[in-house]
Amino acid sequence: VQLQASGGGSVQAGESLKLSCKTSGMIWSTFTGSRKAWYRQAPGNQRELVAELTSGGSTNYQDSVKGRFTISRDNAKRTVYLQMNSLEPDDTAVYYCNIKYGSWDYWGQGTQVTVSS
């Protein structure tokens, strides 16, 4: 199983980006039954949870991104998304997608998001 994250880039504060995390080698039932999440890690900081989407469809967000970020998935494409609006300089980090299913724990390679003021 591989997770390929994409969509990062350099933007100005207030702009938007949409990250994608496409899975390969994961069967449909595993993808739909998994917990999906995006994490980020800024230089000098620990990796932190940004948003999660449970297998039951519930979402949870870090307080700092509530109302600005939206996590979603396309089961047919086996892809997880993170729509990021009203980006702020503090959102600058490497963003990682994560999929957990039972004892299986998969990570993408990370995509850089840089927000300048």
Side-chain angles (χ1 to χ4, degrees), residues 14-30:
E15 296 183 340
S16 299
L17 284 173
K18 186 173 185 177
L19 306 183
S20 299
C21 177
K22 183 170 179 57
T23 68
S24 59
M26 184 176 289
I27 63 175
W28 186 85
S29 59
T30 298

Side-chain angles (χ1 to χ4, degrees), residues 18 28 31-32 34 38 51 53 59 117:
K18 186 173 185 177
W28 186 85
F31 183 82
T32 57
S34 65
W38 287 93
L53 176 59
T59 56
S117 58

Side-chain angles (χ1 to χ4, degrees), residues 88-101:
E88 303 170 354
D90 284 348
D91 295 319
T92 295
V94 177
Y95 285 70
Y96 299 89
C97 56
N98 172 252
I99 293 181
K100 289 184 179 179
Y101 184 85

Side-chain angles (χ1 to χ4, degrees), residues 13 24 45 64 70 86 91 95 106 110:
S24 59
N45 291 355
S64 68
T70 303
S86 302
D91 295 319
Y95 285 70
Y106 303 108

Side-chain angles (χ1 to χ4, degrees), residues 61-72:
Y61 297 92
Q62 183 187 106
D63 284 347
S64 68
V65 307
K66 284 181 181 177
R68 300 188 297 121
F69 290 11
T70 303
I71 187 171
S72 63

Side-chain angles (χ1 to χ4, degrees), residues 5-11 16-20 38 82 84 87 93-95 109-114:
S6 62
S10 296
V11 297
S16 299
L17 284 173
K18 186 173 185 177
L19 306 183
S20 299
W38 287 93
L82 185 67
M84 305 185 294
L87 282 161
V94 177
Y95 285 70
Q109 84 285 7
T111 184
Q112 176 71 46
V113 172
T114 302

